[in-house]
């Protein structure tokens, strides 16, 4: 598994790690049941705090891409073999919110744009 954190970019390290892991999961490099490295070991390899790696894993788990198996570690979710509309919708929403934040828009702005988009979508 090839992972690299670039400290010179504005994207936080936890997000860089999460995005790279997600890319490997979606790309099939990490298939269902694949075991992710232990948090402490990966943190050491990447020069990150353990909490940074743990946050990436937690967010991937919240999105349904990985499962924590207690002492058996964290594995890529086997649910990925089935269509998972909720996880995809959440992922797309996060991408949109992140893109809007990069443009300088806050949560309230994002909500207004979504509302405006819904209204214009119903008209046309």
């Amino acid at each position: 598994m090839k992972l690299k954190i670039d400290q010179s970019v504005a994207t936080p390290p936890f997000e860089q790690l999460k995005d790279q892991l997600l890319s490997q999961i979606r790309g099939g490099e990490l298939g269902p049941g694949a075991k992710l490295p232990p948090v402490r070991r990966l943190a050491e390899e990447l020069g990150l705090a353990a909490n940074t790696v743990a946050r990436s894993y937690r967010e991937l788990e919240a999105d349904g891409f990985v499962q924590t198996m207690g002492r058996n570690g964290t594995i890529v979710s086997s649910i990925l073999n089935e269509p998972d509309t909720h996880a995809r919708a959440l992922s797309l929403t996060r991408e949109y919110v992140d893109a809007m934040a990069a443009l300088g828009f806050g949560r309230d702005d994002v909500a207004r744009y979504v509302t405006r988009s819904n209204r214009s979508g119903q008209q046309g």
Side-chain angles (χ1 to χ4, degrees):
M1 180 169 27
K2 229 177 151 182
L3 301 166
K4 183 180 179 197
I5 302 301
D6 185 351
Q7 299 290 350
S8 68
V9 298
T11 307
F14 85 89
E15 205 168 308
Q16 290 182 51
L17 177 58
K18 181 183 80 170
D19 290 346
Q20 290 176 48
L21 289 169
L22 186 56
S23 177
Q24 290 183 19
I25 291 168
R26 286 185 173 148
E29 295 170 57
L30 290 172
K35 192 170 182 178
L36 299 183
V39 168
R40 286 190 183 106
R41 188 179 85 208
L42 186 57
E44 187 175 304
E45 288 174 11
L46 296 174
L48 299 172
N51 286 338
T52 301
V53 174
R55 181 174 179 186
S56 298
Y57 281 19
R58 278 192 312 271
E59 290 198 7
L60 287 168
E61 184 170 27
D63 292 346
F65 292 101
V66 299
Q67 297 173 301
T68 301
M69 309 301 287
R71 292 181 181 205
N72 293 322
T74 302
I75 62 166
V76 175
S77 178
S78 59
I79 296 172
L80 294 176
N81 286 331
E82 304 169 13
D84 190 352
T85 305
H86 175 73
R88 180 70 179 132
L90 188 57
S91 177
L92 287 169
T93 302
R94 283 205 172 119
E95 288 176 28
Y96 172 69
V97 170
D98 290 346
M100 291 295 282
L103 292 172
F105 293 102
R107 288 180 178 214
D108 292 339
D109 298 317
V110 171
R112 280 192 290 277
Y113 274 94
V114 169
T115 300
R116 190 179 305 161
S117 172
N118 285 337
R119 284 187 198 138
S120 64
Q122 292 171 356
Q123 294 170 356

